[in-house]
Structures are given as C-alpha cells and as structure tokens.
Amino acid sequence: MQFFAIAELSDRIKYDENPSLVHEEVRYAWELHKSGFLRAINHRLDRRGAVLTLESDSVDHVREKLDVLPLVREGFLDIVSIIPVGPYTSYERLFRPESED
C-alpha cells in the first residue's frame, strides 16, 4: 500500500550550522529509498518541507520509520500528515453506459 507523508521543516534549522545532522538525514533517506520504502520525495513549494511517497503495510510502520529520521528525532522536521492512497478508479464511470448514471 502507498502513503503520502507531508512534512514541514522548521525555520530553526540552518544547513550550514548542522552539516553532520543533514548528512545523517540524507544517508538515512537513501537507505529508505534503497529498501523500497521511500518511493519518491518532492520539495514543497508552499513552505519548507517535503512530500514523501512511501510503500508500507500500515500507517504504524510508516510512523515508526519516519519517527527515527534524524531531523524528526531532533525536532526540526514535523510529519504533519500520513495519508494512505490507492489507485484512482473513477475512470470506470467513463465506460458505463449513460443509462446507468
């Protein structure tokens, strides 16, 4: 099952002041990507943060994996929402005869 995780990055973190923490975060994210858990990550354009596409069996497993991200652990990154998603199936409406509507 796939999930979207919406993350917000604190204004308190400055990358040049925390290079080892940022590098630890990147290494951990790379391990999550290689394992197939992290499918995609995108920068948010409305504020500091990211939207992650994740593959997992449960919300609890997603939370466990994200809670140990270094920036989350240190209070610089907040996972504000975890959303389970599935395939969009409403296309089928286009293929029904009009009399069924």
Side-chain angles (χ1 to χ4, degrees):
M1 178 186 319
Q2 287 195 333
F3 296 85
F4 293 144
I6 312 300
E8 292 182 359
L9 188 63
S10 170
D11 290 333
R12 296 179 297 117
I13 184 138
K14 307 292 185 235
Y15 292 118
D16 55 339
E17 296 173 9
N18 298 283
S20 63
L21 183 62
V22 172
H23 287 138
E24 184 182 352
E25 179 84 2
V26 170
R27 281 190 297 274
Y28 186 77
W30 176 238
E31 291 302 318
L32 293 178
H33 182 77
K34 289 191 309 184
S35 75
F37 175 77
L38 175 60
R39 297 299 185 150
I41 186 168
N42 293 280
H43 280 286
R44 292 182 62 171
L45 300 179
D46 60 338
R47 63 186 64 207
R48 290 182 83 189
V51 176
L52 296 83
T53 303
L54 309 163
E55 188 78 31
S56 182
D57 293 332
S58 71
V59 154
D60 291 337
H61 183 250
V62 169
R63 177 60 67 189
E64 284 175 25
K65 293 290 236 183
L66 297 182
D67 280 349
V68 295
L69 281 166
L71 291 177
V72 172
R73 187 185 68 228
E74 296 299 321
F76 292 119
L77 186 68
D78 185 28
I79 307 300
V80 296
S81 190
I82 297 173
I83 306 162
V85 296
Y88 183 77
T89 58
S90 292
Y91 292 118
E92 292 174 359
R93 292 183 198 158
L94 296 173
F95 304 113
R96 287 194 315 229
E98 289 185 36
S99 60
E100 291 184 27
D101 289 334

